[in-house]
Amino acid sequence: MATFLHRLGRGAFQRRWLTLLLWAVVLGVAGAAAAGSSSGSGDSNITLPGIEAQKAYDVLGEKFPAANADGASARVVMRAPDGQKLADSGPRAEVRSLLGDLKDSSPRVASVADPFAAKTISADGTTGYAQVTYEAKAADLADADHNRLDDALDAAREQGLTVEASGSALAPAESAGSSEAIGFVLAALILVITFGSFIAAGMPLLTALVGVGVTMGAITALTAALNLNSSTSALATMLGIAVGIDYALFIVSRYRSERAAGHEAREAVGRANGTAGSAVVFAGLTVVIALVGLAVVNLPILTAMGMAGAGAVVVAVLVAITLVPALLALAPDRVLGRTSRKKSRTKTTASKPSAAERWAAFVLRRPWKVLLFAVLGLGVIALPATKLELGLPDDSSKPTSTTERKAYDMLAESFGPGFNGPLTLVVSGGDPAATKTAVGQLDGSVKDLKGVAAVTPATYNPSGDTAMVTVVPKSSPSSEETKDLVHTIRDRAQGVQTATGAQALVSGTTAMNIDVAAKFSAATVPYLTLVVGLAFLVLILVFRSILVPLKAALGFLLSVLASLGAVVAVFQWGWFKDLFGLQTTGPIMSLMPILLVGIVFGLAMDYQVFLVTRIREAYVHGADPRTAITEGFRHSGKVVVAAALIMTGVFGGFVGGDDAMIKSLGLGLAAAVIFDAFVVRMTIVPAVLTLLGRRAWSMPGWLDRRLPHVDIEGENLSGALPASSEPDRRDTDFTPTR
């Protein structure tokens, strides 16, 4: 591996303009494909094959095609002025005018339900709602459709009604792009401080932009064809920026070290690519394994997010090992920085130990105390994770300033907290008689439950063999009471099916939440087994050790549990919610924990590979275990800290967004990076390696003989390639410091 990447780096250095041209062509093709694709985002609805709620939706789609149409919809909630009712002459005329404006707002509007005819008026007569359905999908609605809908709502407000709306027909929230900008600004500052050179700091930023540009172009081009969700591109952007900067950072840093060791520019690029580039490849491989492994959950939206994120990582790796060497060829000396060149010319023979070296020395002196303190600290932070509650986002999780949240609150106040999360019973028998008998038994059985506020009369399909019954709970959609009610209704439905032979399924948003959470819980163990197992094999190849990969996996568990604890404390319990701009608290998005596990595992292995390969490199080249730890921290400690701070800044920038899942995922990833980089990799890892000594790098002989040898420390480079100990005066006046 090291020899191949060495040749690749030297080749990219020598053919710099060809390499730059190829990447420019790739970026242009991706941009052209994105520009030529149809606009609009994919469906945001979550579907999960195999669960009961999804089966019910499928039955509705077959038996009630009109009721289960995939067209866009809007629920317009209206309230009369204080002291009046909607049925009064003034408000009633205003409602009629609003309904007419809604019907005329777009030629795509299929129907507008009159709240008086549909009897969707609250018991006190002050509030009602009209259901607006469209013939087109939400993604196919134009800006004009959204604007005219908003105009109709504004006109009704001017007449005195309080009007809010929710649904897929509303214009999607616009993203200001501030999350990415914040991450880039923080990354730039950290890189300038780390390298002391604007040129060196700019290279990782430039290459990350190229990688993200290629990835986003591809995702945009495929959005309509693959029905991708907006969260897919957000995750790919988040990962693309973070790993793109970090991977380039490690190669540029290693290049500077090789130049300091006396190698001329092209050879330094080759050696940096052969060593740090090898670490980048295997670190990226672990991230890809973790993200692609999300497919085992069998949730289309999660699979798409994982594949898109994996694609972003693959592009970042390719950019790092090809484009970075080409860019280094354009500024082989200036990337070193004036301060580094000035220090080199003074030929300083001794230097003060770096902060990373001093920290490593501290851990080496007190390994047991440091290990115990770090593990207990992460354990305490992880405690809130034991109270984790999962759910899917609804309008109650939106900011209170949005019309969707206002509509949600109005309906809850006037119709009851359970109105926003009704349950749908889908009864399907072999013949109309069996279906009617089952509906009768269920109707009486469900009405008697204390958690039920109302049960609507059954609606039958034309053939009479399938019926829909709406059940409105008394409790809110995300409450435990509603969850218990769903389980109770399903138990009774099972009894009715046994007695009548008619299948009775419970669906609706709340039921979907419960089923998705259960599906994720059941998939967690297989997912972890697959991902950790594959990555464990990769790390055995990388480190030629059993104990080091085992330690890496255990450290990951500490990091992910602590990050989940932080997410629960903030987003579920509301701790420091004002600090994070959080207006409401509630259950954690069902997708978030398993998505967090996948991404954190990959990133944790990043730091494991970057730091420990440098320690192993020193050990392979003859250093004793304790000296190897110090050497690894001397060479990689500062860079790992910079990389972790950059990732923290990039992920933390997404906390300022409006999307509930991206917001919580941003905090979880930022916390995980802090815990994993600073507590696990920079603290627990050296403590454990100190206690293990040479045993850390041992492996059974029979296994060692059967495994292929993968050289990522550049061991083969020392013997197979010229030392190039003399710097090439044609390229630089940079001389070794030691």
Side-chain angles (χ1 to χ4, degrees):
M1 175 63 74
T3 304
F4 168 75
L5 290 177
H6 176 274
R7 291 197 300 268
L8 181 64
R10 285 172 63 95
F13 184 96
Q14 185 172 354
R15 298 173 178 83
R16 65 205 71 172
W17 294 113
L18 176 60
T19 304
L20 293 173
L21 177 61
L22 289 176
W23 275 110
V25 170
V26 172
L27 183 59
V29 170
S37 64
S38 59
S39 61
S41 60
D43 190 0
S44 61
N45 293 328
I46 294 177
T47 59
L48 189 57
I51 63 174
E52 179 172 329
Q54 187 62 50
K55 291 178 181 177
Y57 281 132
D58 294 340
V59 172
L60 288 176
E62 178 184 353
K63 301 294 185 178
F64 292 88
N68 198 46
D70 56 2
S73 65
R75 177 183 284 178
V76 179
V77 186
M78 58 207 76
R79 178 171 288 172
D82 291 341
Q84 300 184 50
K85 296 184 178 182
L86 289 178
D88 295 343
S89 59
R92 191 182 188 96
E94 294 165 2
V95 170
R96 297 293 186 194
S97 177
L98 171 60
L99 297 178
D101 291 343
L102 291 173
K103 181 64 177 177
D104 297 336
S105 64
S106 172
R108 301 167 184 259
V109 172
S111 64
V112 178
D114 186 332
F116 297 106
K119 297 182 179 180
T120 54
I121 305 293
S122 62
D124 60 6
T126 62
T127 305
Y129 66 90
Q131 194 72 22
V132 183
T133 58
Y134 289 73
E135 296 174 350
K137 294 182 179 180
D140 296 331
L141 295 182
D143 291 339
D145 298 316
H146 299 308
N147 294 334
R148 289 170 186 159
L149 175 60
D150 292 337
D151 292 341
L153 302 182
D154 290 336
R157 291 175 183 132
E158 292 175 358
Q159 294 178 359
L161 291 177
T162 299
V163 182
E164 305 296 344
S166 62
S168 59
L170 272 66
E174 295 183 359
S175 175
S178 59
S179 301
E180 295 87 342
I182 292 172
F184 259 89
V185 170
L186 291 175
L189 291 175
I190 295 168
L191 287 169
V192 170
I193 294 172
T194 302
F195 286 136
S197 165
F198 286 102
I199 299 297
M203 282 189 183
L205 295 175
L206 177 60
T207 55
L209 281 174
V210 172
V212 171
V214 172
T215 302
M216 294 310 299
I219 291 176
T220 303
L222 295 172
T223 293
L226 300 181
N227 199 28
L228 301 180
N229 183 270
S230 60
S231 297
T232 303
S233 59
L235 176 64
T237 301
M238 187 189 300
L239 283 175
I241 294 173
V243 301
I245 293 175
D246 276 7
Y247 292 168
L249 165 64
F250 275 92
I251 292 179
V252 172
S253 176
R254 186 59 185 255
Y255 168 79
R256 286 158 59 100
S257 297
E258 294 296 336
R259 292 296 300 276
H263 298 289
E264 52 89 16
R266 189 172 70 164
E267 179 61 20
V269 166
R271 287 175 176 267
N273 222 40
T275 52
S278 297
V280 165
V281 170
F282 280 97
L285 180 59
T286 60
V287 182
V288 169
I289 289 173
L291 292 172
V292 173
L294 292 170
V296 303
V297 182
N298 195 26
L299 178 62
I301 184 176
L302 193 59
T303 300
M305 292 175 71
M307 293 298 179
V313 174
V314 170
V315 172
V317 170
L318 294 176
V319 167
I321 61 177
T322 57
L323 184 58
V324 171
L327 291 176
L328 287 171
L330 299 180
D333 300 335
R334 297 181 65 188
V335 75
L336 305 175
R338 294 181 180 179
T339 303
S340 297
R341 293 196 296 269
K342 183 177 179 180
K343 286 182 179 180
S344 301
R345 286 192 288 268
T346 63
K347 296 184 179 181
T348 304
T349 57
S351 60
K352 182 180 178 181
S354 66
E357 288 180 87
R358 294 195 297 273
W359 174 251
F362 172 78
V363 175
L364 289 173
R365 289 194 301 269
R366 305 170 180 85
W368 277 114
K369 292 181 180 179
V370 169
L371 178 61
L372 183 62
F373 183 79
V375 171
L376 288 178
L378 289 179
V380 171
I381 298 174
L383 286 177
T386 60
K387 303 296 182 180
L388 176 67
E389 297 178 9
L390 300 179
L392 292 178
D394 55 24
D395 289 337
S396 67
S397 63
K398 294 182 180 294
T400 53
S401 59
T402 62
T403 186
E404 294 94 336
R405 173 61 186 275
K406 292 176 181 177
Y408 181 97
D409 292 339
M410 289 172 63
L411 291 172
E413 292 169 4
S414 299
F415 293 90
F419 186 82
N420 285 296
L423 305 175
T424 301
L425 300 184
V426 181
V427 183
S428 181
D431 58 78
T435 300
K436 189 172 183 179
T437 301
V439 168
Q441 293 184 13
L442 272 175
D443 185 80
S445 177
V446 172
K447 280 182 178 178
D448 294 338
L449 297 175
K450 63 179 182 179
V452 173
V455 178
T456 65
T459 300
Y460 292 86
N461 67 334
S463 62
D465 62 352
T466 304
M468 287 191 303
V469 179
T470 300
V471 179
V472 180
K474 292 181 179 179
S475 50
S476 62
S478 60
S479 67
E480 285 296 318
E481 291 83 356
T482 304
K483 182 178 179 180
D484 294 338
L485 177 63
V486 170
H487 289 305
T488 301
I489 294 176
R490 282 178 170 170
D491 290 340
R492 299 198 174 189
Q494 187 63 40
V496 170
Q497 180 175 350
T498 302
T500 65
Q503 184 184 48
L505 303 172
V506 181
S507 189
T509 302
T510 302
M512 180 67 80
N513 290 351
I514 296 170
D515 292 346
V516 168
K519 182 77 171 181
F520 284 154
S521 298
T524 299
V525 173
Y527 172 69
L528 283 176
T529 302
L530 173 67
V531 171
V532 175
L534 290 176
F536 188 80
L537 295 177
V538 172
L539 292 178
I540 289 177
L541 289 176
V542 172
F543 298 120
R544 315 299 294 184
S545 166
I546 299 294
L547 295 178
V548 170
L550 180 61
K551 168 190 59 61
L554 294 177
F556 150 73
L557 291 176
L558 285 173
S559 299
V560 75
L561 289 175
S563 62
L564 279 174
V567 170
V568 170
V570 174
F571 285 87
Q572 189 174 307
W573 294 355
W575 293 5
F576 311 108
K577 68 176 185 178
D578 294 335
L579 179 64
F580 296 99
L582 188 65
Q583 297 183 9
T584 59
T585 60
I588 305 302
M589 174 71 171
S590 295
L591 279 71
M592 208 280 294
I594 199 164
L595 193 60
L596 181 67
V597 167
I599 298 173
V600 170
F601 180 80
L603 298 181
M605 296 306 104
D606 270 5
Y607 295 115
Q608 175 75 13
V609 171
F610 288 143
L611 180 62
V612 180
T613 50
R614 204 64 194 258
I615 296 175
R616 175 171 167 77
E617 182 178 341
Y619 179 77
V620 167
H621 292 152
D624 64 84
R626 296 176 70 90
T627 303
I629 295 173
T630 304
E631 282 292 301
F633 271 72
R634 181 169 70 86
H635 289 291
S636 295
K638 180 180 179 181
V639 183
V640 168
V641 169
L645 291 177
I646 289 170
M647 276 202 178
T648 302
V650 171
F651 293 145
F654 284 84
V655 177
D658 293 328
D659 187 281
M661 185 178 72
I662 297 300
K663 194 180 184 77
S664 60
L665 186 61
L667 175 63
L669 289 174
V673 168
I674 292 174
F675 297 145
D676 196 85
F678 296 108
V679 181
V680 175
R681 308 304 156 188
M682 299 287 287
T683 304
I684 293 178
V685 164
V688 172
L689 289 179
T690 301
L691 296 173
L692 292 176
R694 295 186 182 277
R695 289 172 296 176
W697 309 110
S698 63
M699 188 164 64
W702 62 268
L703 181 59
D704 187 51
R705 289 189 297 271
R706 286 169 172 78
L707 289 177
H709 182 70
V710 180
D711 176 28
I712 71 169
E713 297 89 8
E715 185 179 2
N716 293 337
L717 299 181
S718 301
L721 299 169
S724 301
S725 59
E726 283 298 319
D728 189 337
R729 301 295 179 183
R730 294 172 298 177
D731 289 333
T732 180
D733 59 356
F734 187 71
T735 54
T737 59
R738 293 183 294 133

